[in-house]
C-alpha cells in the first residue's frame, strides 16, 4: 500500500509480480487502491484494476470505499475507472455504500464541492438522490453542511432532485 500511496508504478508492478497481496491494508484498513485514488496516482489505479483479485468494494476502518476516496479527493479519472470496472475483473457492487457518518460517495463529493465528481455520480444508474446520512441530512443539506456556497453544486443537486 505504501508504494501505491507514493505513486510508485514500477514498484507496484514489481510487488505484484512477486505475488504481494493486491488488497493489503495499512493501519486504518485502507487499501493501496484507496490511497492511490486519494493521491491521484491513476497509473497505479489502472494497474491495480487489472488485477483479477482486486477488491474494489472493501471498506476501511471508517466504512469508506475506494469510491468514497475518489469522490472526496476530486479524482474524476479514478472515479471513472472505478465506475467502468467490468467483469471478468472487479466490479462495483454499489455506488450507494454509506461510509463514515452514513455518507455515500455522492454525499462526500457534494459536501466538499467536487462538481465534476458530482456530475459523474448523479449520472450513474442506481444512485439514490434521496439518501440521507446518519444525521438525516439530504444532498442539498450536505452541501451547506460542508460550507459549500458554490451555486453550481447546489443547482446541480436541485436539478437532479427535480
Amino acid at each position: 500500500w505504501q508504494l501505491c500511496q507514493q505513486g510508485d508504478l514500477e514498484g507496484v508492478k514489481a510487488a505484484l509480480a512477486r505475488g504481494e497481496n493486491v488488497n493489503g491494508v495499512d493501519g486504518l484498513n485502507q487499501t493501496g487502491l484507496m490511497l492511490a485514488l486519494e493521491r491521484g496516482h491513476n497509473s497505479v489505479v489502472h494497474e491495480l484494476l487489472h488485477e483479477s483479485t482486486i477488491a474494489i468494494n472493501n471498506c476501511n476502518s471508517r466504512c469508506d470505499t475506494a469510491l468514497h476516496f475518489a469522490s472526496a479527493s476530486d479524482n474524476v479519472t479514478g472515479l471513472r475507472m472505478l465506475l467502468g470496472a467490468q467483469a471478468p475483473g472487479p466490479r462495483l457492487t454499489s455506488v450507494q455504500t454509506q461510509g463514515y457518518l452514513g455518507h455515500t460517495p455522492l454525499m462526500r463529493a457534494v459536501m466538499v464541492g467536487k462538481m465534476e465528481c458530482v456530475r459523474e455520480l448523479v449520472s450513474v444508474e442506481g444512485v439514490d438522490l434521496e439518501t440521507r446520512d446518519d444525521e438525516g441530512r439530504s444532498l442539498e443539506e450536505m452541501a451547506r453542511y460542508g460550507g459549500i456556497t458554490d451555486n453550481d453544486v447546489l443547482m446541480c443537486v436541485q436539478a437532479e432532485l427535480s
Side-chain angles (χ1 to χ4, degrees):
W1 57 265
Q2 290 173 327
L3 295 169
C4 297
Q5 185 176 32
Q6 296 164 356
D8 183 350
L9 179 60
E10 294 309 313
V12 169
K13 286 180 179 180
L16 293 172
R18 287 192 307 271
E20 298 277 339
N21 181 3
V22 70
N23 297 307
V25 296
D26 68 7
L28 297 174
N29 209 37
Q30 298 173 134
T31 65
L33 178 62
M34 292 172 183
L35 296 169
L37 284 161
E38 180 179 54
R39 300 283 175 102
H41 300 309
N42 291 322
S43 60
V44 172
V45 171
H46 185 266
E47 185 70 25
L48 294 173
L49 289 176
H50 280 85
E51 291 293 311
S52 63
T53 58
I54 187 80
I56 65 175
N57 299 296
N58 283 7
C59 294
N60 70 0
S61 59
R62 293 171 36 134
C63 299
D64 289 334
T65 65
L67 202 55
H68 286 90
F69 279 77
S71 299
S73 62
D74 202 23
N75 185 345
V76 178
T77 301
L79 178 71
R80 288 177 181 145
M81 282 191 256
L82 286 174
L83 293 172
Q86 296 295 323
R91 291 186 84 133
L92 284 173
T93 55
S94 176
V95 293
Q96 284 301 116
T97 302
Q98 289 184 279
Y100 183 64
L101 301 176
H103 298 166
T104 65
L106 177 58
M107 287 178 173
R108 196 68 52 79
V110 165
M111 191 171 87
V112 294
K114 304 305 181 188
M115 198 60 203
E116 278 192 81
C117 286
V118 169
R119 285 191 181 108
E120 281 295 319
L121 288 164
V122 297
S123 71
V124 174
E125 185 177 330
V127 167
D128 181 359
L129 300 175
E130 300 295 328
T131 299
R132 300 206 173 234
D133 73 357
D134 290 349
E135 300 292 320
R137 291 180 291 237
S138 68
L139 288 172
E140 192 172 349
E141 292 166 322
M142 290 301 297
R144 288 192 181 97
Y145 170 77
I148 303 305
T149 56
D150 183 346
N151 285 334
D152 287 343
V153 174
L154 293 173
M155 290 188 318
C156 180
V157 170
Q158 290 167 343
E160 292 299 327
L161 290 172
S162 300

